[in-house]
Amino acid sequence: VSGSVLRTTYHAVTKAPEKLARAIAVEQTVEIPEALIDARTDREIVGKVEGIDPLPDGRFALTIAYPAGLVASLPDLLSVLYGNVSMLEVLRLADITLPPETLALFKGPNFGIQGLRDLLQVHDRPLLCTVLKPRGAADAHFAKIAEEFALAGGDLIKEDNNLLDAAPEASERRIAACASALARANRKTGRRCLYFVNACVPIDRLERLVAFAVKAGAAGVLVPPLLMGIDVVRDLAARHRIAVMAHPSFTGTFFEDRRHGIEPGILMGTILRLAGADIVIFVNHGGRFNYRKEECESMAEKLRAPLGNIRAAFPAPAGGMTLERVGEMVNEYGTDTVLVFGGAMLGGLGGVGKSVEACLAALETKRGQPRGRPR
Amino acid sequence: VSGSVLRTTYHAVTKAPEKLARAIAVEQTVEIPEALIDARTDREIVGKVEGIDPLPDGRFALTIAYPAGLVASLPDLLSVLYGNVSMLEVLRLADITLPPETLALFKGPNFGIQGLRDLLQVHDRPLLCTVLKPRGAADAHFAKIAEEFALAGGDLIKEDNNLLDAAPEASERRIAACASALARANRKTGRRCLYFVNACVPIDRLERLVAFAVKAGAAGVLVPPLLMGIDVVRDLAARHRIAVMAHPSFTGTFFEDRRHGIEPGILMGTILRLAGADIVIFVNHGGRFNYRKEECESMAEKLRAPLGNIRAAFPAPAGGMTLERVGEMVNEYGTDTVLVFGGAMLGGLGGVGKSVEACLAALETKRGQPRGRPR
């Protein structure tokens, strides 16, 4: 390949690594039998096998370079990286290196870590986020949580990802109630606690919802990219000056078999950042889900690693975290982290306000920790 | 739960099936600690555990009923069925039963099996589909394949899923060239060979592409729902009177670990049909991919099974099929099937025309086979 390439490494369970590597290079580009590949197509379009290296566990690392010109959009990128080969057994997308041409296709987060810190005027500690839940509660319940959280000094409020409404009007009533409670609290504190509205709605309702949320004063949206479409999120972030918090719903199959799927840092880190996520929620190890420490750290690292001109994004470890874990989480992830407490904060003795105060006090003792930039 | 329910069965690897079943019922609905669930929430919102049954392999079948009122859209449905629990190890969505309220939310395929047969005036044999490939070839090459295929009596032409263009104008030139060649051939044969344009484009380019394709005479689009967003496909099919052919790119992680993910018939059959797919391509066993016979047959069955007022859709086994397999595929899948030959048809001796003739002759000997309705 002359010119820039998109370099990928797949980890494969195979007895014929050379044959498989070439098959992948063909599958992801032209999908035709070898006999039909002419010299020009082979030179200009088909991926190039650059390396075949045995791994300690008996698998092989297959390094394949695709011409950067094959990719002009996010669906193209996903298609070339792992579209058809997702259906091959057993093959994991383990690493990618994107050339400047590919990075230049994407705008990335509208705010990123620095931009959100500037909005909040919080520069030296992790951000504290809570969740409006549970589904089925009254709007006044949600508004009260929002108000108490903001009054006590919390930073970010997100709606639960399952706050779904059959009627747009129901969502709008909740958004109005919460935004107004939050505005009242913000006026008292002089700070700006940010509100992320759940935007997991059918695509034909998305514009109305986002317009309403922005007008009401919400700073951003909560979106599950795999439920709604990763490119839907990219398009939304490109068209609106909103902050985007990504939710991991429906992502689990990419990670469950550690020998198949996509390395979590690539999908939840690099790809979601390209798609415009300012904050990416992932399930922390030691909670309700079974993620591993090294997978969580890879996601955090990829969200903050240099990536052309794309802004760095906040990792947000979540999923059944208890308030006692604040110190441990800051030690692990560093200061440039969003700590999400849902049930734990709502269930704390003394209510949301006391829980926030306890968290902020715990964070105070952690001042001066490293920011968690990639090692 | 009073009223209708959405009934699901998960197959779980677990030592504590009762605890896990309740945890799923909570996770997929309210996501709060047990201590915070009040009686009304438990009654009206939380899923109900209806059954816990040991499976012969040591796993457990957990049957959980969700209130139908929790689901008002396709993202809701995916979220409730498998959103957060996709991140639990090891849990497969094995079966679903959708109540009339849920089915009524969806329009399904615009044409379906009967509608496409009416368009084509082909009622008694499988449909024959070929693929415009490879990426990088000249428009004249694609147009020639289309013309030869139609002149020889083929039914459906789809663009390869990797025919992606940086500039909309490039796609439009190809579409115009192929549509015009096809129109010429159709005038000669008096038949109507249908053209499916690859619509795997960024969402902000989708409307322009579809409008151009329809105006040029294309009957439908090829879309990869998991790359673009399943709800994007639903919305597209709902707004345009086009036929939709779904491509399985990026679906592999849902099926690779047979104990995790989603049973293929549910995702590729029921869900894609709700989303409006008239034809669903899947990778047939015995080709380049490693799918199993029973998985392929489940997809075919679910595409044609009764599903409220939703039209039945064509299964389209594909992925490295050779022309010699026509007879076997008709025996297996029945008459209501789309047979997709890409490389095999292009590489056949005597060119596309002879390959089509050979396929049609093979199909002729299979006349009178069962239609492949679900057993």
Side-chain angles (χ1 to χ4, degrees):
Chain A
V1 180
S2 61
S4 266
V5 298
L6 206 154
R7 193 162 279 115
T8 56
T9 302
Y10 301 94
H11 290 177
V13 175
T14 179
K15 291 189 170 111
E18 288 82 6
K19 195 178 157 205
L20 177 62
R22 170 69 183 179
I24 294 168
V26 171
E27 183 69 47
Q28 297 300 87
T29 54
V30 291
E31 269 187 76
I32 48 173
E34 285 286 353
L36 300 182
I37 301 176
D38 63 29
R40 186 195 62 79
T41 301
D42 200 22
R43 196 174 56 239
E44 295 179 8
I45 316 278
V46 175
K48 298 294 163 289
V49 178
E50 291 192 336
I52 295 175
D53 301 289
L55 294 168
D57 64 4
R59 291 184 298 164
F60 288 89
L62 313 177
T63 302
I64 297 173
Y66 300 107
L70 297 188
V71 170
S73 75
L74 190 51
D76 292 5
L77 178 63
L78 299 172
S79 172
V80 166
L81 291 177
Y82 203 64
N84 277 8
V85 297
S86 74
M87 296 180 283
L88 287 177
E89 291 174 335
V90 178
L91 188 77
R92 188 168 185 83
L93 179 63
D95 197 19
I96 62 173
T97 306
L98 303 176
E101 294 93 312
T102 305
L103 291 175
L105 299 170
F106 299 100
K107 199 176 151 200
N110 285 320
F111 297 92
I113 292 177
Q114 193 55 51
L116 287 176
R117 286 198 176 286
D118 289 345
L119 279 185
L120 287 160
Q121 290 294 308
V122 173
H123 292 284
D124 52 0
R125 61 163 174 79
L127 304 183
L128 202 57
C129 177
T130 197
V131 188
L132 302 184
K133 46 170 69 184
R135 180 170 192 171
D139 292 345
H141 164 85
F142 298 127
K144 184 162 173 286
I145 297 172
E147 187 160 8
E148 288 182 19
F149 180 81
L151 284 174
D155 304 302
L156 312 170
I157 293 169
K158 79 170 187 75
E159 293 190 340
D160 209 3
N161 61 298
N162 53 34
L163 290 194
L164 307 165
D165 306 288
E169 294 76 13
S171 308
E172 290 168 4
R173 277 193 300 269
R174 180 180 62 247
I175 294 168
C178 295
S180 129
L182 203 50
R184 204 158 51 229
N186 283 340
R187 274 194 303 273
K188 282 188 198 158
T189 61
R191 298 185 64 238
R192 186 176 173 202
C193 177
L194 306 178
Y195 179 25
F196 289 75
V197 166
N198 181 26
C200 181
V201 293
I203 188 160
D204 44 322
R205 269 175 55 183
L206 190 56
E207 281 311 299
R208 171 173 169 172
L209 180 81
V210 172
F212 187 92
V214 167
K215 201 169 169 203
V221 289
L222 176 80
V223 287
L226 269 288
L227 278 182
M228 299 178 65
I230 305 178
D231 196 60
V232 171
V233 172
R234 179 205 57 78
D235 180 59
L236 188 66
R239 285 185 300 104
H240 296 278
R241 192 165 165 73
I242 50 173
V244 170
M245 191 185 289
H247 188 280
S249 184
F250 216 57
T251 62
T253 64
F254 287 90
F255 314 130
E256 185 263 346
D257 178 348
R258 270 75 186 188
R259 302 182 313 164
H260 195 71
I262 300 181
E263 194 281 322
I266 298 176
L267 185 57
M268 302 298 285
T270 309
I271 301 282
L272 293 192
R273 207 169 135 197
L274 292 179
D278 297 275
I279 301 170
V280 173
I281 298 173
F282 58 85
V283 290
N284 199 17
H285 55 96
R288 294 197 305 274
F289 300 94
N290 295 306
Y291 280 55
R292 296 179 187 163
K293 193 166 190 288
E294 65 269 24
E295 293 168 339
C296 296
E297 292 178 1
S298 169
M299 292 189 264
E301 182 187 335
K302 290 290 205 306
L303 285 166
R304 299 184 293 210
L307 188 68
N309 292 322
I310 306 289
R311 293 183 178 93
F314 276 109
M321 294 301 97
T322 56
L323 302 183
E324 292 71 33
R325 292 186 67 184
V326 166
E328 170 213 323
M329 287 165 76
V330 180
N331 288 345
E332 180 174 359
Y333 293 107
T335 296
D336 280 344
T337 302
V338 170
L339 302 179
V340 182
F341 296 101
M345 195 159 280
L346 305 184
L349 290 174
V352 172
K354 291 285 178 215
S355 298
V356 173
E357 285 164 22
C359 280
L360 290 173
L363 290 179
E364 199 56 42
T365 69
K366 291 284 164 188
R367 226 177 251 279
Q369 283 281 332
R371 307 196 74 80
R373 296 288 174 187
R375 291 144 294 177
Chain B
V1 180
S2 60
S4 266
V5 298
L6 205 153
R7 192 162 280 117
T8 55
T9 303
Y10 301 93
H11 289 177
V13 175
T14 179
K15 291 190 170 108
E18 288 82 7
K19 194 178 159 208
L20 177 61
R22 171 68 182 179
I24 294 169
V26 171
E27 182 69 46
Q28 297 300 87
T29 54
V30 292
E31 270 186 77
I32 48 174
E34 285 287 351
L36 300 182
I37 301 176
D38 63 29
R40 187 196 59 80
T41 300
D42 200 22
R43 197 174 55 239
E44 295 179 7
I45 316 276
V46 175
K48 298 295 163 289
V49 178
E50 290 193 335
I52 295 175
D53 302 288
L55 294 169
D57 63 4
R59 292 183 297 164
F60 287 89
L62 313 177
T63 301
I64 297 172
Y66 301 107
L70 297 188
V71 169
S73 73
L74 190 50
D76 293 5
L77 178 63
L78 299 172
S79 172
V80 166
L81 291 177
Y82 202 65
N84 278 7
V85 297
S86 73
M87 297 180 284
L88 287 177
E89 292 173 336
V90 178
L91 189 77
R92 187 169 185 83
L93 179 62
D95 197 19
I96 62 174
T97 306
L98 304 176
E101 295 92 312
T102 305
L103 292 175
L105 300 169
F106 300 100
K107 199 175 150 203
N110 286 319
F111 296 92
I113 291 178
Q114 193 56 49
L116 287 176
R117 287 197 176 286
D118 289 345
L119 280 185
L120 286 160
Q121 290 294 308
V122 173
H123 293 285
D124 51 0
R125 61 163 173 80
L127 303 183
L128 202 57
C129 177
T130 197
V131 189
L132 301 184
K133 48 169 68 180
R135 180 170 193 171
D139 292 346
H141 164 86
F142 298 125
K144 185 163 173 286
I145 297 172
E147 188 161 8
E148 287 182 20
F149 180 81
L151 284 174
D155 304 303
L156 313 169
I157 293 170
K158 78 171 187 73
E159 292 189 341
D160 209 3
N161 63 298
N162 54 33
L163 290 193
L164 307 165
D165 306 288
E169 294 76 12
S171 308
E172 290 169 3
R173 277 193 300 270
R174 180 180 61 248
I175 294 167
C178 295
S180 130
L182 204 50
R184 204 159 50 228
N186 283 340
R187 276 194 302 274
K188 282 189 197 160
T189 61
R191 298 184 66 236
R192 186 176 174 201
C193 177
L194 306 178
Y195 180 25
F196 289 76
V197 165
N198 181 27
C200 180
V201 293
I203 188 160
D204 45 323
R205 269 174 57 183
L206 190 55
E207 282 311 300
R208 170 172 169 174
L209 180 81
V210 172
F212 187 92
V214 168
K215 202 169 167 203
V221 289
L222 176 79
V223 288
L226 269 288
L227 278 182
M228 299 177 66
I230 305 178
D231 195 60
V232 171
V233 171
R234 179 205 56 78
D235 180 60
L236 188 66
R239 286 185 299 103
H240 295 278
R241 192 165 162 73
I242 49 173
V244 170
M245 191 184 290
H247 188 278
S249 184
F250 216 57
T251 62
T253 64
F254 288 90
F255 314 130
E256 185 264 346
D257 179 347
R258 270 76 186 189
R259 302 181 315 165
H260 195 71
I262 301 181
E263 195 280 322
I266 297 176
L267 184 57
M268 302 297 285
T270 309
I271 302 281
L272 292 192
R273 208 168 134 197
L274 292 179
D278 298 275
I279 301 170
V280 174
I281 299 174
F282 58 85
V283 290
N284 199 16
H285 56 95
R288 295 197 303 274
F289 301 93
N290 295 306
Y291 280 58
R292 295 178 188 164
K293 193 164 189 289
E294 64 270 23
E295 293 168 337
C296 296
E297 291 177 2
S298 169
M299 293 189 262
E301 182 186 335
K302 289 291 205 307
L303 286 166
R304 299 183 292 210
L307 188 68
N309 292 321
I310 307 288
R311 293 184 179 93
F314 276 110
M321 294 299 99
T322 55
L323 303 183
E324 293 70 34
R325 293 186 65 183
V326 166
E328 171 213 323
M329 289 165 75
V330 180
N331 288 345
E332 179 174 0
Y333 293 107
T335 296
D336 280 344
T337 302
V338 170
L339 302 179
V340 183
F341 296 101
M345 195 160 279
L346 305 184
L349 290 174
V352 172
K354 291 285 178 216
S355 298
V356 173
E357 285 165 21
C359 280
L360 290 174
L363 290 178
E364 198 57 39
T365 70
K366 291 283 163 190
R367 227 176 249 280
Q369 284 280 332
R371 305 197 73 82
R373 297 285 175 191
R375 290 143 297 177

